[in-house]
Amino acid sequence: MALLKVTGLTKHFGGLKAVQNVDFNIDEGEIVGLIGPNGAGKTTFVELLTGGHAPTAGKIEYDGRDVTRLSNHERCRLGMARTFQVPQPFGGGTVRDNVAVGALFGRAGRYLTIAQAKEKADAILGDVGLQAFRDSFPAAMTTAGLKRLELARCLATDANLIFLDEPLGGLNSTEVAEALALIRKVRDSGVTVLFIEHIIPAVLSLSDRVVVLANGSKLAEGTGEQVTQNPEVKKAYLGDISGAVNRYARGRNSAVVH
Amino acid sequence: MTLTLQILFDSLLLAGMLAVGALGFTLVWGVLNVLNLTYAAFIMMGAYISYGLWHIGIDFLLTIPLTVLIMFMVGWAVQRYVIDYVMNGPHAANIALTYGMNLIAVGLALYFFSAVDRSILVPGYLQGVMEIAGVKLPYVRIVTTVVALALTAVVWWFFDHTEYGAAIRATRLDMEAAQLVGIKVKTIYNLTTAIAASLAGAMGALLALVFSASPYIGDHFFLQIIIVTVLGGLGSILGPLLGALVVGLAISAASHLAGATYGVLVGAVIVLIVLAVRPSGLLGKRFYEA
Amino acid sequence: MLLPFQMGAAVPAARSPAVLALIILLVVALVAPTFLSSYMLRFAALALMYLALAQSWNLIGGYGGLMSLAMPAFFGSGAVVSGILVNSGVSAVLSVAGGTAVALLIALIIAAPTLRLQGHYFVVATILVAEALRNGILNINAFGFSGSSSLNVFNSVGLDHLEPRAYNEFFYYVMLALAAVAMLTVFVLERSRWGYALRSVRDNERAARAMGISVERQKLYVFLLSAGMAGVVGGVWAFWLGIVETNDAFSFTFAFDVIVMVFLGGRGTLWGPVAGVCLVLAVNEWIGVGFPELHLVISGLLVTLVVLFLPDGLVGLRGGLKAIAPAQLMRNLRRYKVK
């Protein structure tokens, strides 16, 4: 059952065609990875989905409901939440306060008192492993911690669908492994995830399905294997040297081209 | 017809002075993203310095470059030793700080010079009025306008043809990139404020001649400068000029037709309307969003 | 700049130290007139007025993070309209209400175009609105009202039969009520969902939007609230003074004094404005007596030093005297320095 259904999504910034006629679905419980070369329109696409930009054309349906004209905050209240590539915490509040905001104004927050929101925040912080930082301020946290905070905030809104914008950026390999485990845990708790990433092995290991954007259009879609074997995809990433790289890869018995 | 021409001419004169003042203010806002309320004090200081120099016998036209030089140093010092400390802080900090310093400056001026207006007497060679098609063009005002435009031209040339000008423009466009190519942002900031203070000082000197030097002279014209700056937008040198022309025209027309207070009202309303439609001013580019 | 969310939810409101302090202060204020000389009474009433204004600005500038300089527009229109109404025979209370309504109307009109401006543009727009309004009213000459001449309301307010002392006592209590409401508003804000929403908008608009907060509405509400409060105080001030002078009512001096008080005391805190009002008024008294000409200089020096060395305001001293240790002051100085 498609939780998110996108038809013909297009966004032009004046002459720049950032996103062109993209059709796209996400089913409940999926983890979908969104990849593509730089400038492919991935972040714009997510902005369109979460309400940051109004599309030039196209339709977005969430849980059967047309949300194309809704603003960011309205979509959040319906259950679509997002994290930011560069973490955007609320600097004046503690980590707990940050998550409490999500609890108060998200989908289920309407009748929560502050005390209840804080309790919920504490619980979620425990789930993501940030309990030690409850009373810290964002300024004192590492990148990995801030990324977890972003995720915790989303979870606090009781979102059904979470968009993660490069959740692994700036993390070392241990932190990446921990982050991947956390994202899987989130999905297992019933949340659908769409994430943008550049680290291909991570995308392949985490995603049920991969979508490739290039030059604003959907280039390919499928499992990780399918997508990485796709010659169009290889060309988009590597340009004309892809032939040589393929020969090299075949020669070395590697099935996947990075 | 005569009235129209008179309005046009008067607006040109006013525009000239406002353009010089606005240019400096635009620079500081555009490059440093600081709303420098001390700018009003810079204008006032320029007026007093020019007056003081004239008082000890220096010819008025000569006081201008001297004032510019002195104010250059003042601006540099103020940026380096005071404003520097709030550059990375929230907006409110630089507004409050520059406001505080403006208060100090105006207060000191009041204390030492009292509120008496001090006017530079028009030198002999500038006295007299030209009449063209029934429009009165006092020589004083003509020269003032010429000086103002000359200064603007110098600044324009500086930004277009010198390394420092290029560096300032680069910093304005992208501070990080500028740093990466080796531009010392702090020096640029100091230089920009120094130039701005010079321009303010020049405007002050002209004001001392055309009007008079008083502790509140800077504050008095500050609103008009803000109007010109916002109208013109922050992205260019031409912007303030255009803004100054529009404002000069509006204020002049309104003053002639209805009375002085209408002038400012009209100016303010025009800017508000422009901002409502184009949040970055007439010629502004959206470099600084916050 | 770290402005604390400051939630006291761990301690039930009824027992929180802030509540206790507020109650004690209120009681003291209620009985104070009996002990104050006439001069001190007027001074205290003035202080309460400034407190009400300071908290009204604290809402938008401190908790809302919007450096609005539009206060003269609202305070002034509150004053002028109340004056016009009361002179036309409307009762005093309704006149103030009318003045406030007009202030709110103006705020509503300029809110949409102004609030979406970013950074310094917003500040400038608020300045322009206040100035445009001032000049506009100065030019009005209709229905027997001339903006450029002063409006005498003393006889219309209905309190001219009172002795000076009783008169001032009356307005002392009115100002106390206004200040109390203002303090209460901020107190409630800090402990409510609204406070969380507002401060989130202040700290990070993008993130606030993503978390389900309507940024536009939050800004609008706080803008209107601040405007309304300023309007009421303006109306009462006009009646107290007995005379409305357009240039004084719309003067930026009030606004800047108030902003300085909030800055000095600590933006975005409940007690900051209290400290700020006390300090500034005390310093003014002291200078006024000793160094009348240097008034501006000392005020300016105060603001400059606080912004440089104590950016969080006097409430930063809550951490004890070590907050003003030279080492800490130097650290504060360097906090926002260009690298």
Side-chain angles (χ1 to χ4, degrees), chain A residues 22 32 35 40 48 64 70 88 93 104 164 179 183 211 232-234 255:
Chain A
V22 174
V32 176
I35 63 175
L48 286 169
L70 293 186
Q88 304 284 329
L104 285 171
L164 303 173
I183 297 175
V211 172
E232 292 294 308
V233 173
K234 292 185 206 168

Side-chain angles (χ1 to χ4, degrees), chain C residues 120-193:
Chain C
H120 293 310
Y121 283 111
F122 170 73
V123 183
V124 164
T126 57
I127 295 177
L128 290 174
V129 165
E131 274 300 290
L133 211 53
R134 180 176 71 88
N135 278 291
I137 294 198
L138 277 176
N139 289 318
I140 293 182
N141 216 317
F143 307 114
F145 169 68
S146 165
S148 46
S149 41
S150 41
L151 195 64
N152 195 319
V153 302
F154 186 68
N155 299 317
S156 322
V157 175
L159 296 168
D160 40 339
H161 58 279
L162 289 176
E163 292 289 320
R165 167 105 198 172
Y167 184 81
N168 283 325
E169 249 187 60
F170 177 83
F171 279 102
Y172 170 89
Y173 281 113
V174 177
M175 289 303 180
L176 175 60
L178 293 180
V181 168
M183 288 291 284
L184 189 65
T185 307
V186 175
F187 181 80
V188 165
L189 169 75
E190 281 200 330
R191 284 153 184 72
S192 67
R193 294 173 57 109

Side-chain angles (χ1 to χ4, degrees), chain B residues 8-234:
Chain B
L8 269 170
F9 185 67
D10 282 349
S11 64
L12 214 74
L13 298 169
L14 186 58
M17 284 195 301
L18 286 179
V20 170
L23 199 52
F25 190 69
T26 295
L27 271 177
V28 174
W29 184 344
V31 178
L32 282 74
N33 202 17
V34 162
L35 199 66
N36 191 343
L37 296 181
T38 315
Y39 198 78
F42 289 159
I43 299 176
M44 178 197 71
M45 284 186 231
Y48 274 111
I49 291 175
S50 172
Y51 175 81
L53 290 173
W54 171 80
H55 198 75
I56 60 176
I58 301 180
D59 176 64
F60 169 71
L61 285 178
L62 210 55
T63 65
I64 298 183
L66 287 173
T67 307
V68 163
L69 202 62
I70 297 176
M71 287 311 299
F72 185 90
M73 296 189 289
V74 169
W76 188 291
V78 165
Q79 175 65 34
R80 173 139 197 271
Y81 294 113
V82 190
I83 304 183
D84 190 54
Y85 290 99
V86 294
M87 288 306 294
N88 283 335
H91 289 317
N94 63 63
I95 298 179
L97 180 66
T98 53
Y99 170 69
M101 290 204 294
N102 194 45
L103 272 188
I104 296 176
V106 174
L108 285 175
L110 265 176
Y111 184 69
F112 287 114
F113 303 122
S114 83
V116 169
D117 287 352
R118 286 153 213 272
S119 227
I120 295 182
L121 297 174
V122 180
Y125 59 87
L126 282 183
Q127 276 175 11
V129 176
M130 214 161 68
E131 255 206 57
I132 298 183
V135 175
K136 294 202 183 344
L137 309 172
Y139 286 129
V140 176
R141 293 239 176 173
I142 297 179
V143 169
T144 317
T145 313
V146 168
V147 169
L149 292 177
L151 274 171
T152 311
V154 166
V155 172
W156 200 338
W157 176 85
F158 174 81
F159 277 97
D160 244 9
H161 289 104
T162 66
E163 252 181 52
Y164 278 113
I168 293 180
R169 279 186 298 149
T171 312
R172 196 203 173 301
L173 285 173
D174 191 337
M175 178 161 73
E176 263 184 54
Q179 282 175 312
L180 283 174
V181 286
I183 294 177
K184 281 187 124 131
V185 169
K186 241 173 98 151
T187 312
I188 296 296
Y189 286 168
N190 297 342
L191 181 63
T192 308
T193 308
I195 295 177
S198 323
L199 289 170
M203 178 179 175
L206 295 176
L207 286 177
L209 179 69
V210 175
F211 300 105
S212 58
S214 82
Y216 294 110
I217 189 122
D219 291 343
H220 182 80
F221 280 95
F222 193 55
L223 185 68
Q224 293 180 31
I225 287 188
I226 289 184
I227 291 177
V228 169
T229 302
V230 175
L231 205 57
L234 299 181

Side-chain angles (χ1 to χ4, degrees), chain C residues 292-317:
Chain C
E293 302 95 0
L294 292 180
H295 187 114
L296 284 181
V297 177
I298 304 220
S299 298
L301 210 55
L302 210 55
V303 178
T304 306
L305 290 175
V306 165
V307 171
L308 286 177
F309 292 102
L310 268 183
D312 293 329
L314 286 177
V315 289
L317 295 181

